[in-house]
């Protein structure tokens, strides 16, 4: 019986470069979101919008939301690199929440918001495409 050597064959486990990329990028985006949260908490004048207010909440609530999302993204990034299955799906949800948050934040910082939305989409792609059981760190 012949074995399949197709590059599209399904392999369980092993190393995935996409998971390594997505886990690392999730941690970097989490750190950026933590920084945004701290700035929103302590320097509300930094995020000036034309109307003077954010679209959703006040600056304190916005800061706490970004702080929480950022910390969770860093933890999820570590979980993804460790090969934890829960971290992949949690990372997809957090990347989606971050993308929605940056869409709402587009009035204050349009360029950064578009970049963050694009990077969030890359994180989602990197977490969804590798096979089940793959890890982001070779070994």
């Amino acid at each position: 019986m012949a074995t399949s050597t197709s590059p599209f064959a399904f392999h369980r486990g092993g190393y995935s470069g996409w998971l390594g990329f997505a886990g690392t990028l999730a941690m970097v985006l989490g750190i950026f979101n933590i920084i945004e949260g701290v700035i929103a908490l302590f320097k509300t004048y930094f995020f000036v919008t034309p109307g003077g207010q954010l679209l959703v909440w006040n600056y304190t609530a916005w800061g706490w939301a970004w702080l929480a999302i950022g910390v969770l993204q860093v933890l999820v990034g570590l979980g993804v690199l460790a090969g934890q299955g829960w971290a992949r799906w949690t990372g997809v949800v957090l990347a989606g929440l971050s993308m929605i948050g940056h869409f709402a934040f587009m009035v204050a910082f349009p360029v950064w918001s578009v970049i963050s939305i694009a990077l969030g989409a890359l994180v989602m792609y990197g977490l969804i495409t590798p096979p089940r059981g793959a890890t982001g760190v070779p070994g």
Side-chain angles (χ1 to χ4, degrees), residues 28-41 47 66-67 70:
V28 170
L29 287 174
I31 291 168
F32 286 154
N33 288 335
I34 290 170
I35 291 169
E36 285 182 24
V38 170
I39 291 172
L41 286 173
F47 297 117
W66 279 124
L67 199 60

Side-chain angles (χ1 to χ4, degrees), residues 6 42 90 93 118:
S6 168
F42 296 111
T90 306
V93 170

